[in-house]
Amino acid sequence: MRTYAKPIAAVTGSLVLAAGLTACGGSSAASDEKTVTVYSADGLKGEAGDGWYDRVFADFEKKTGIKVRYVEGGSGEMVQRALREKSNTQADVLVTLPPFIQQAGSKGLLQKYTPRGADQVGGGDKASDGTWTSVVNNYFGFIHNKKELPAAPKSWEELLDAKFKNKLQYSTPGVAGDGTAVLIKAMHDFGGQEPAMEYLKKLQANNVGPSSSTSKLAPKVDKGELLVANGDVQMNFAQSRTMPNLGIWFPAKGDGKPTTFALPYAAGLVDKAPHTENGKKLLDFMLSEEAQREASAIGGGFPARKDVKATDAHAIALAKLLEGVEVFEPDWADIDKNLTTYVDAWKSATGS
């Protein structure tokens, strides 16, 4: 799905963060024609204002005069919020990880729009019906505390060791995109739903418990409160700028090869968006060569456009990180169709 780098530059422009919009709807957004509202999965906004979103939104506002109102949460959470607001749409642009972007499309939350530059995005990284396009590439992964656990675990089986009791946590499948990715990878690595659930049932003995947001786990790993957690390459590589104890790794099944899969940030124009034209302009800007060149050096990820080649130090480091890791392609159509079944099986297996 993608490779990632971390943010390095501070943003000089201003980002309009709609804190109030997070708590209550966004009535002001509907009346202000110089705004665009983004509902997004976490990971692309920097903890210190130095993430890809911070840079891109600031540059977009400077170029267009359009202020970005930003609301962040887990991928599933953002889709559910947009669904609740369907009769009174607040968001203009929705950005989530798979399979939630597919879910948004199948629930009629997105309208067709092909941003400029989308012709340079690979076929598997955009919807065939034109409802969404990846804007930053990324891969699923895990993190460990390099100080307390210098050598990353090699396998899923190692995580069953008693030393990880209450020192391991992963975000909630069905709510967080990266949490759902735990299910997807486990089902791939263990060869199906049943053996994956058998393993996750055993792992529950060490699991701290649910977390709606994957980004909240990295600080706990960095501080040593956790030894291991799930995440994704882009977000964790970006976070490691200010969290030096984070190490990224990919579990294998037994003594097999470590595996991962692409987990891009995919963006779509919300159906009946209050500021459709502004949403189109933002999507165009996110896929512009200017913004795509920042995906690695600033954003901790890889460009979604094939014609924009990342050659910065972060891109090189991330390419090395993925050496020897087998990248598989999930059956997203199956996952979209059966996600509720898989999540219910996980709940049953883990007692969650």
Side-chain angles (χ1 to χ4, degrees):
M1 187 151 68
R2 318 145 308 194
T3 320
Y4 294 36
K6 64 185 175 185
I8 54 173
V11 176
T12 56
S14 61
L15 168 68
V16 177
L17 179 59
L21 210 121
T22 305
C24 53
S27 56
S28 62
S31 61
D32 186 349
E33 294 307 317
K34 298 299 285 184
T35 64
V36 60
T37 298
V38 176
Y39 283 9
S40 178
D42 48 4
L44 288 176
K45 189 178 186 301
E47 297 286 334
D50 56 359
W52 189 72
Y53 273 160
D54 302 279
R55 172 61 64 88
V56 169
F57 291 167
D59 289 347
F60 176 72
E61 181 181 342
K62 184 177 180 180
K63 181 177 181 179
T64 65
I66 299 170
K67 294 183 178 181
V68 179
R69 298 179 183 272
Y70 178 69
V71 181
E72 179 180 283
S75 286
E77 180 186 357
M78 290 295 92
V79 171
Q80 288 305 311
R81 176 167 178 164
L83 193 60
R84 290 195 303 270
E85 297 171 350
K86 200 171 181 181
S87 61
N88 181 28
T89 307
Q90 303 295 315
D92 300 301
V93 172
L94 179 67
V95 185
T96 71
L97 305 179
F100 295 100
I101 195 67
Q102 289 91 342
Q103 185 183 83
S106 65
K107 291 183 180 297
L109 292 177
L110 305 175
Q111 58 176 297
K112 294 180 181 181
Y113 179 65
T114 303
R116 287 196 296 269
D119 59 316
Q120 293 296 331
V121 176
D125 290 332
K126 59 187 176 184
S128 58
D129 64 359
T131 52
W132 58 266
T133 306
S134 297
V135 291
V136 173
N137 275 340
N138 188 19
Y139 292 92
F140 176 62
F142 278 72
I143 49 176
H144 68 107
N145 181 293
K146 295 191 293 186
K147 184 178 179 181
E148 302 294 331
L149 190 69
K154 294 185 182 301
S155 69
W156 287 103
E157 289 81 0
E158 285 183 53
L159 297 181
L160 299 177
D161 192 284
K163 72 180 179 182
F164 291 109
K165 186 172 180 62
N166 295 324
K167 289 288 188 177
L168 175 151
Q169 190 173 17
Y170 61 90
S171 51
T172 307
V175 176
D178 289 321
T180 306
V182 172
L183 288 189
I184 294 170
K185 178 171 157 57
M187 287 193 293
H188 171 270
D189 290 0
F190 285 90
Q193 177 184 319
E194 187 174 337
M197 299 309 160
E198 288 177 4
Y199 169 80
L200 292 171
K201 180 178 182 179
K202 296 175 184 176
L203 186 65
Q204 195 66 9
N206 289 342
N207 187 18
V208 170
S211 174
S212 63
S213 173
T214 313
S215 65
K216 295 178 181 178
L217 302 181
K220 296 180 181 180
V221 173
D222 183 60
K223 294 173 185 174
E225 295 174 22
L226 298 173
L227 291 177
V228 169
N230 70 314
D232 62 69
V233 177
Q234 175 276 324
M235 178 173 62
N236 296 142
F237 198 82
Q239 289 171 318
S240 67
R241 177 175 177 258
T242 55
M243 301 178 195
N245 294 322
L246 295 187
I248 299 172
W249 66 287
F250 308 92
K253 169 69 171 67
D255 58 1
K257 291 184 66 173
T259 68
T260 188
F261 62 96
L263 203 60
Y265 291 90
L269 187 65
V270 177
D271 187 45
K272 299 181 178 64
H275 303 108
T276 293
E277 292 307 311
N278 293 350
K280 290 178 179 178
K281 290 176 183 177
L282 181 59
L283 288 169
D284 286 349
F285 192 79
M286 284 198 256
L287 267 186
S288 68
E289 290 188 40
E290 175 186 354
Q292 289 290 301
R293 280 194 297 269
E294 307 286 9
S296 179
I298 303 297
F302 271 15
R305 288 178 57 153
K306 295 180 291 185
D307 62 335
V308 177
K309 305 298 182 183
T311 58
D312 58 89
H314 288 160
I316 293 169
L318 287 167
K320 186 174 182 180
L321 184 67
L322 288 168
E323 286 179 1
V325 180
E326 177 185 310
V327 179
F328 66 91
E329 185 173 341
D331 184 344
W332 291 115
D334 170 77
I335 293 165
D336 181 35
K337 180 181 178 182
N338 297 300
L339 180 60
T340 300
T341 299
Y342 298 146
V343 172
D344 286 347
W346 171 80
K347 290 178 179 177
S348 178
T350 61
S352 300

Short mmCIF file of all heavy atoms in Angstrom, two decimals, residues 254-308:
data_model
loop_
_atom_site.label_atom_id
_atom_site.label_comp_id
_atom_site.label_asym_id
_atom_site.label_seq_id
_atom_site.Cartn_x
_atom_site.Cartn_y
_atom_site.Cartn_z
N GLY A 254 5.02 -17.61 12.80
CA GLY A 254 6.08 -18.57 13.09
C GLY A 254 7.42 -18.06 12.60
O GLY A 254 7.82 -16.93 12.85
N ASP A 255 8.15 -18.91 11.85
CA ASP A 255 9.45 -18.53 11.33
C ASP A 255 9.37 -18.06 9.87
O ASP A 255 10.36 -18.04 9.16
CB ASP A 255 10.46 -19.67 11.47
CG ASP A 255 10.00 -20.94 10.75
OD1 ASP A 255 8.90 -20.92 10.14
OD2 ASP A 255 10.73 -21.94 10.81
N GLY A 256 8.16 -17.68 9.44
CA GLY A 256 7.97 -17.20 8.08
C GLY A 256 8.45 -15.77 7.90
O GLY A 256 9.05 -15.17 8.80
N LYS A 257 8.17 -15.22 6.73
CA LYS A 257 8.58 -13.85 6.43
C LYS A 257 7.60 -12.86 7.06
O LYS A 257 6.40 -13.13 7.14
CB LYS A 257 8.60 -13.62 4.91
CG LYS A 257 9.70 -14.36 4.16
CD LYS A 257 9.70 -14.00 2.69
CE LYS A 257 10.07 -12.54 2.47
NZ LYS A 257 10.22 -12.20 1.03
N PRO A 258 8.11 -11.71 7.50
CA PRO A 258 7.21 -10.67 7.99
C PRO A 258 6.34 -10.16 6.83
O PRO A 258 6.79 -10.14 5.68
CB PRO A 258 8.16 -9.59 8.50
CG PRO A 258 9.45 -9.82 7.79
CD PRO A 258 9.53 -11.30 7.57
N THR A 259 5.13 -9.77 7.15
CA THR A 259 4.21 -9.32 6.10
C THR A 259 3.58 -7.98 6.47
O THR A 259 3.51 -7.59 7.63
CB THR A 259 3.07 -10.33 5.87
OG1 THR A 259 2.21 -10.35 7.03
CG2 THR A 259 3.59 -11.72 5.59
N THR A 260 3.11 -7.30 5.44
CA THR A 260 2.33 -6.07 5.63
C THR A 260 1.46 -5.88 4.39
O THR A 260 1.52 -6.67 3.45
CB THR A 260 3.23 -4.85 5.85
OG1 THR A 260 2.40 -3.72 6.21
CG2 THR A 260 4.03 -4.48 4.62
N PHE A 261 0.65 -4.85 4.41
CA PHE A 261 -0.16 -4.52 3.25
C PHE A 261 -0.37 -3.02 3.20
O PHE A 261 -0.22 -2.32 4.20
CB PHE A 261 -1.50 -5.26 3.25
CG PHE A 261 -2.39 -4.94 4.42
CD1 PHE A 261 -3.39 -3.98 4.32
CD2 PHE A 261 -2.25 -5.62 5.62
CE1 PHE A 261 -4.22 -3.69 5.38
CE2 PHE A 261 -3.08 -5.34 6.70
CZ PHE A 261 -4.06 -4.37 6.58
N ALA A 262 -0.69 -2.53 2.01
CA ALA A 262 -0.87 -1.10 1.83
C ALA A 262 -2.12 -0.62 2.55
O ALA A 262 -3.15 -1.27 2.56
CB ALA A 262 -0.99 -0.80 0.34
N LEU A 263 -1.98 0.52 3.21
CA LEU A 263 -3.07 1.10 3.97
C LEU A 263 -3.07 2.62 3.74
O LEU A 263 -2.76 3.40 4.62
CB LEU A 263 -2.88 0.79 5.46
CG LEU A 263 -4.10 0.81 6.37
CD1 LEU A 263 -5.14 -0.21 5.94
CD2 LEU A 263 -3.69 0.54 7.81
N PRO A 264 -3.43 3.03 2.51
CA PRO A 264 -3.30 4.45 2.16
C PRO A 264 -4.38 5.32 2.79
O PRO A 264 -5.46 4.85 3.12
CB PRO A 264 -3.44 4.44 0.64
CG PRO A 264 -4.28 3.27 0.34
CD PRO A 264 -3.95 2.24 1.38
N TYR A 265 -4.06 6.58 2.93
CA TYR A 265 -5.07 7.58 3.28
C TYR A 265 -5.81 7.92 1.99
O TYR A 265 -5.21 8.43 1.04
CB TYR A 265 -4.42 8.83 3.85
CG TYR A 265 -3.81 8.63 5.22
CD1 TYR A 265 -2.48 8.23 5.35
CD2 TYR A 265 -4.55 8.83 6.38
CE1 TYR A 265 -1.91 8.04 6.60
CE2 TYR A 265 -3.99 8.65 7.62
CZ TYR A 265 -2.67 8.25 7.73
OH TYR A 265 -2.10 8.06 8.98
N ALA A 266 -7.10 7.62 1.95
CA ALA A 266 -7.89 7.82 0.75
C ALA A 266 -8.93 8.90 1.00
O ALA A 266 -9.58 8.93 2.06
CB ALA A 266 -8.57 6.52 0.35
N ALA A 267 -9.10 9.79 0.04
CA ALA A 267 -9.97 10.95 0.21
C ALA A 267 -11.08 10.96 -0.82
O ALA A 267 -10.87 10.61 -1.98
CB ALA A 267 -9.14 12.23 0.09
N GLY A 268 -12.27 11.38 -0.37
CA GLY A 268 -13.40 11.51 -1.27
C GLY A 268 -14.19 12.76 -0.98
O GLY A 268 -14.14 13.30 0.13
N LEU A 269 -14.92 13.22 -1.97
CA LEU A 269 -15.79 14.38 -1.83
C LEU A 269 -17.12 13.91 -1.27
O LEU A 269 -17.76 13.01 -1.81
CB LEU A 269 -15.98 15.04 -3.20
CG LEU A 269 -16.73 16.36 -3.26
CD1 LEU A 269 -15.95 17.46 -2.53
CD2 LEU A 269 -16.97 16.77 -4.72
N VAL A 270 -17.55 14.51 -0.17
CA VAL A 270 -18.76 14.07 0.51
C VAL A 270 -20.00 14.45 -0.32
O VAL A 270 -20.08 15.55 -0.87
CB VAL A 270 -18.85 14.69 1.92
CG1 VAL A 270 -20.16 14.30 2.61
CG2 VAL A 270 -17.66 14.23 2.76
N ASP A 271 -20.94 13.51 -0.40
CA ASP A 271 -22.18 13.77 -1.12
C ASP A 271 -22.96 14.89 -0.45
O ASP A 271 -23.05 14.94 0.78
CB ASP A 271 -23.02 12.49 -1.16
CG ASP A 271 -24.24 12.62 -2.03
OD1 ASP A 271 -24.11 13.14 -3.16
OD2 ASP A 271 -25.33 12.22 -1.58
N LYS A 272 -23.51 15.81 -1.25
CA LYS A 272 -24.26 16.96 -0.75
C LYS A 272 -23.41 17.81 0.21
O LYS A 272 -23.92 18.37 1.20
CB LYS A 272 -25.56 16.53 -0.07
CG LYS A 272 -26.52 15.80 -0.99
CD LYS A 272 -27.81 15.42 -0.27
CE LYS A 272 -28.80 14.74 -1.20
NZ LYS A 272 -28.29 13.44 -1.71
N ALA A 273 -22.11 17.88 -0.07
CA ALA A 273 -21.21 18.69 0.75
C ALA A 273 -21.64 20.16 0.73
O ALA A 273 -22.04 20.66 -0.33
CB ALA A 273 -19.78 18.58 0.23
N PRO A 274 -21.58 20.85 1.88
CA PRO A 274 -21.98 22.26 1.90
C PRO A 274 -21.09 23.16 1.05
O PRO A 274 -21.51 24.21 0.61
CB PRO A 274 -21.91 22.63 3.38
CG PRO A 274 -21.07 21.57 4.02
CD PRO A 274 -21.27 20.34 3.21
N HIS A 275 -19.83 22.72 0.85
CA HIS A 275 -18.89 23.51 0.04
C HIS A 275 -18.22 22.60 -0.98
O HIS A 275 -17.02 22.37 -0.94
CB HIS A 275 -17.84 24.18 0.93
CG HIS A 275 -18.41 25.05 2.00
ND1 HIS A 275 -18.40 24.69 3.32
CD2 HIS A 275 -19.05 26.24 1.93
CE1 HIS A 275 -18.99 25.64 4.03
NE2 HIS A 275 -19.40 26.59 3.20
N THR A 276 -19.03 22.10 -1.91
CA THR A 276 -18.53 21.14 -2.89
C THR A 276 -17.36 21.68 -3.69
O THR A 276 -16.35 20.99 -3.88
CB THR A 276 -19.66 20.71 -3.84
OG1 THR A 276 -20.63 19.97 -3.09
CG2 THR A 276 -19.14 19.85 -4.97
N GLU A 277 -17.45 22.90 -4.17
CA GLU A 277 -16.38 23.46 -5.00
C GLU A 277 -15.08 23.61 -4.22
O GLU A 277 -13.99 23.37 -4.75
CB GLU A 277 -16.81 24.79 -5.62
CG GLU A 277 -17.93 24.66 -6.65
CD GLU A 277 -17.61 23.64 -7.73
OE1 GLU A 277 -16.49 23.71 -8.30
OE2 GLU A 277 -18.46 22.77 -8.00
N ASN A 278 -15.20 24.03 -2.95
CA ASN A 278 -14.01 24.15 -2.11
C ASN A 278 -13.41 22.77 -1.83
O ASN A 278 -12.18 22.61 -1.76
CB ASN A 278 -14.34 24.85 -0.79
CG ASN A 278 -14.73 26.31 -0.99
OD1 ASN A 278 -14.57 26.85 -2.09
ND2 ASN A 278 -15.23 26.95 0.05
N GLY A 279 -14.28 21.77 -1.67
CA GLY A 279 -13.80 20.41 -1.47
C GLY A 279 -13.03 19.91 -2.68
O GLY A 279 -11.98 19.27 -2.55
N LYS A 280 -13.52 20.22 -3.87
CA LYS A 280 -12.83 19.83 -5.11
C LYS A 280 -11.45 20.50 -5.17
O LYS A 280 -10.45 19.86 -5.54
CB LYS A 280 -13.66 20.21 -6.32
CG LYS A 280 -14.93 19.39 -6.51
CD LYS A 280 -15.71 19.88 -7.73
CE LYS A 280 -16.96 19.05 -7.96
NZ LYS A 280 -17.75 19.55 -9.13
N LYS A 281 -11.41 21.78 -4.81
CA LYS A 281 -10.14 22.50 -4.85
C LYS A 281 -9.13 21.90 -3.88
O LYS A 281 -7.94 21.77 -4.21
CB LYS A 281 -10.36 23.98 -4.51
CG LYS A 281 -11.10 24.75 -5.59
CD LYS A 281 -11.38 26.19 -5.16
CE LYS A 281 -12.18 26.94 -6.22
NZ LYS A 281 -12.52 28.32 -5.77
N LEU A 282 -9.61 21.49 -2.69
CA LEU A 282 -8.69 20.89 -1.72
C LEU A 282 -8.18 19.54 -2.20
O LEU A 282 -6.99 19.23 -2.07
CB LEU A 282 -9.36 20.76 -0.36
CG LEU A 282 -8.48 20.16 0.75
CD1 LEU A 282 -7.23 21.00 0.98
CD2 LEU A 282 -9.27 20.01 2.06
N LEU A 283 -9.07 18.73 -2.77
CA LEU A 283 -8.64 17.43 -3.29
C LEU A 283 -7.63 17.61 -4.42
O LEU A 283 -6.63 16.88 -4.49
CB LEU A 283 -9.85 16.64 -3.78
CG LEU A 283 -10.78 16.08 -2.69
CD1 LEU A 283 -12.07 15.55 -3.29
CD2 LEU A 283 -10.08 15.00 -1.89
N ASP A 284 -7.87 18.57 -5.29
CA ASP A 284 -6.91 18.87 -6.35
C ASP A 284 -5.56 19.24 -5.75
O ASP A 284 -4.50 18.79 -6.23
CB ASP A 284 -7.40 20.04 -7.21
CG ASP A 284 -8.55 19.66 -8.13
OD1 ASP A 284 -8.83 18.45 -8.28
OD2 ASP A 284 -9.16 20.58 -8.71
N PHE A 285 -5.59 20.06 -4.71
CA PHE A 285 -4.35 20.54 -4.10
C PHE A 285 -3.59 19.40 -3.41
O PHE A 285 -2.37 19.32 -3.48
CB PHE A 285 -4.64 21.66 -3.10
CG PHE A 285 -3.42 22.39 -2.64
CD1 PHE A 285 -2.81 23.35 -3.45
CD2 PHE A 285 -2.83 22.10 -1.42
CE1 PHE A 285 -1.67 24.02 -3.04
CE2 PHE A 285 -1.69 22.76 -1.00
CZ PHE A 285 -1.11 23.72 -1.82
N MET A 286 -4.33 18.51 -2.75
CA MET A 286 -3.68 17.39 -2.07
C MET A 286 -2.97 16.47 -3.05
O MET A 286 -1.96 15.86 -2.71
CB MET A 286 -4.70 16.59 -1.25
CG MET A 286 -5.10 17.25 0.04
SD MET A 286 -5.87 16.08 1.20
CE MET A 286 -7.57 16.51 1.05
N LEU A 287 -3.48 16.40 -4.26
CA LEU A 287 -2.85 15.55 -5.28
C LEU A 287 -1.91 16.32 -6.20
O LEU A 287 -1.36 15.75 -7.12
CB LEU A 287 -3.91 14.84 -6.11
CG LEU A 287 -4.34 13.45 -5.65
CD1 LEU A 287 -5.29 12.83 -6.67
CD2 LEU A 287 -3.16 12.53 -5.41
N SER A 288 -1.73 17.61 -5.92
CA SER A 288 -0.80 18.40 -6.74
C SER A 288 0.63 17.93 -6.52
O SER A 288 0.95 17.34 -5.48
CB SER A 288 -0.92 19.89 -6.38
OG SER A 288 -0.43 20.13 -5.06
N GLU A 289 1.48 18.16 -7.49
CA GLU A 289 2.88 17.77 -7.35
C GLU A 289 3.51 18.44 -6.13
O GLU A 289 4.32 17.84 -5.42
CB GLU A 289 3.66 18.13 -8.62
CG GLU A 289 3.30 17.26 -9.82
CD GLU A 289 4.22 17.52 -11.00
OE1 GLU A 289 5.43 17.70 -10.77
OE2 GLU A 289 3.72 17.54 -12.14
N GLU A 290 3.13 19.67 -5.88
CA GLU A 290 3.65 20.41 -4.72
C GLU A 290 3.37 19.68 -3.42
O GLU A 290 4.27 19.46 -2.60
CB GLU A 290 3.02 21.81 -4.68
CG GLU A 290 3.38 22.64 -3.46
CD GLU A 290 2.61 23.95 -3.40
OE1 GLU A 290 1.88 24.27 -4.36
OE2 GLU A 290 2.73 24.65 -2.38
N ALA A 291 2.12 19.30 -3.21
CA ALA A 291 1.74 18.61 -1.97
C ALA A 291 2.30 17.20 -1.93
O ALA A 291 2.74 16.72 -0.87
CB ALA A 291 0.22 18.57 -1.84
N GLN A 292 2.31 16.51 -3.06
CA GLN A 292 2.81 15.14 -3.11
C GLN A 292 4.30 15.05 -2.80
O GLN A 292 4.77 14.08 -2.21
CB GLN A 292 2.50 14.51 -4.47
CG GLN A 292 1.02 14.22 -4.69
CD GLN A 292 0.53 13.08 -3.82
OE1 GLN A 292 1.02 11.96 -3.90
NE2 GLN A 292 -0.44 13.36 -2.96
N ARG A 293 5.05 16.07 -3.18
CA ARG A 293 6.48 16.08 -2.86
C ARG A 293 6.72 16.16 -1.36
O ARG A 293 7.78 15.77 -0.87
CB ARG A 293 7.18 17.25 -3.58
CG ARG A 293 7.49 16.97 -5.04
CD ARG A 293 8.47 18.00 -5.61
NE ARG A 293 7.90 19.35 -5.60
CZ ARG A 293 7.23 19.88 -6.62
NH1 ARG A 293 7.04 19.17 -7.72
NH2 ARG A 293 6.76 21.11 -6.55
N GLU A 294 5.73 16.68 -0.62
CA GLU A 294 5.87 16.80 0.84
C GLU A 294 5.45 15.52 1.57
O GLU A 294 5.64 15.41 2.77
CB GLU A 294 5.00 17.96 1.35
CG GLU A 294 5.23 19.30 0.66
CD GLU A 294 6.53 19.96 1.09
OE1 GLU A 294 7.32 19.30 1.78
OE2 GLU A 294 6.75 21.12 0.71
N ALA A 295 4.85 14.58 0.85
CA ALA A 295 4.29 13.39 1.50
C ALA A 295 5.34 12.62 2.27
O ALA A 295 5.07 12.09 3.35
CB ALA A 295 3.63 12.48 0.47
N SER A 296 6.54 12.56 1.75
CA SER A 296 7.61 11.82 2.40
C SER A 296 8.39 12.70 3.38
O SER A 296 8.47 12.41 4.57
CB SER A 296 8.56 11.23 1.35
OG SER A 296 9.61 10.54 1.97
N ALA A 297 8.94 13.78 2.88
CA ALA A 297 9.81 14.63 3.69
C ALA A 297 9.08 15.24 4.88
O ALA A 297 9.64 15.36 5.97
CB ALA A 297 10.41 15.73 2.82
N ILE A 298 7.82 15.62 4.69
CA ILE A 298 7.05 16.24 5.75
C ILE A 298 6.08 15.26 6.39
O ILE A 298 5.93 15.21 7.61
CB ILE A 298 6.25 17.46 5.22
CG1 ILE A 298 7.18 18.49 4.58
CG2 ILE A 298 5.44 18.11 6.35
CD1 ILE A 298 8.18 19.10 5.52
N GLY A 299 5.40 14.47 5.58
CA GLY A 299 4.26 13.69 6.06
C GLY A 299 4.55 12.33 6.60
O GLY A 299 3.68 11.70 7.19
N GLY A 300 5.74 11.80 6.39
CA GLY A 300 6.02 10.47 6.89
C GLY A 300 5.45 9.37 6.03
O GLY A 300 5.45 8.21 6.42
N GLY A 301 4.95 9.69 4.83
CA GLY A 301 4.41 8.69 3.94
C GLY A 301 5.03 8.76 2.58
O GLY A 301 5.97 9.52 2.36
N PHE A 302 4.50 7.99 1.66
CA PHE A 302 4.98 8.03 0.28
C PHE A 302 3.93 8.70 -0.60
O PHE A 302 2.74 8.62 -0.33
CB PHE A 302 5.26 6.62 -0.24
CG PHE A 302 6.65 6.16 0.04
CD1 PHE A 302 7.46 6.81 0.95
CD2 PHE A 302 7.17 5.06 -0.63
CE1 PHE A 302 8.75 6.39 1.20
CE2 PHE A 302 8.47 4.63 -0.38
CZ PHE A 302 9.26 5.29 0.53
N PRO A 303 4.36 9.35 -1.66
CA PRO A 303 3.41 9.98 -2.58
C PRO A 303 2.43 8.97 -3.14
O PRO A 303 2.78 7.83 -3.40
CB PRO A 303 4.30 10.55 -3.69
CG PRO A 303 5.67 10.65 -3.08
CD PRO A 303 5.77 9.54 -2.10
N ALA A 304 1.20 9.42 -3.34
CA ALA A 304 0.21 8.57 -3.98
C ALA A 304 0.39 8.56 -5.49
O ALA A 304 0.02 7.60 -6.16
CB ALA A 304 -1.20 9.05 -3.63
N ARG A 305 0.98 9.63 -6.02
CA ARG A 305 1.19 9.74 -7.46
C ARG A 305 2.46 9.02 -7.88
O ARG A 305 3.53 9.21 -7.30
CB ARG A 305 1.28 11.21 -7.88
CG ARG A 305 -0.03 11.94 -7.82
CD ARG A 305 0.12 13.40 -8.19
NE ARG A 305 0.73 13.61 -9.51
CZ ARG A 305 0.51 14.69 -10.26
NH1 ARG A 305 -0.32 15.63 -9.82
NH2 ARG A 305 1.10 14.83 -11.42
N LYS A 306 2.35 8.21 -8.93
CA LYS A 306 3.48 7.43 -9.41
C LYS A 306 4.55 8.29 -10.07
O LYS A 306 5.73 7.90 -10.13
CB LYS A 306 2.99 6.38 -10.41
CG LYS A 306 2.07 5.33 -9.82
CD LYS A 306 1.60 4.33 -10.86
CE LYS A 306 0.66 4.95 -11.86
NZ LYS A 306 0.11 3.96 -12.82
N ASP A 307 4.14 9.46 -10.56
CA ASP A 307 5.11 10.32 -11.25
C ASP A 307 5.87 11.25 -10.31
O ASP A 307 6.71 12.02 -10.75
CB ASP A 307 4.41 11.13 -12.34
CG ASP A 307 3.35 12.07 -11.78
OD1 ASP A 307 2.82 11.80 -10.69
OD2 ASP A 307 3.04 13.09 -12.45
N VAL A 308 5.55 11.19 -9.03
CA VAL A 308 6.29 11.98 -8.03
C VAL A 308 7.16 11.02 -7.24
O VAL A 308 6.66 10.22 -6.44
CB VAL A 308 5.34 12.75 -7.10
CG1 VAL A 308 6.11 13.51 -6.03
CG2 VAL A 308 4.47 13.72 -7.90
#
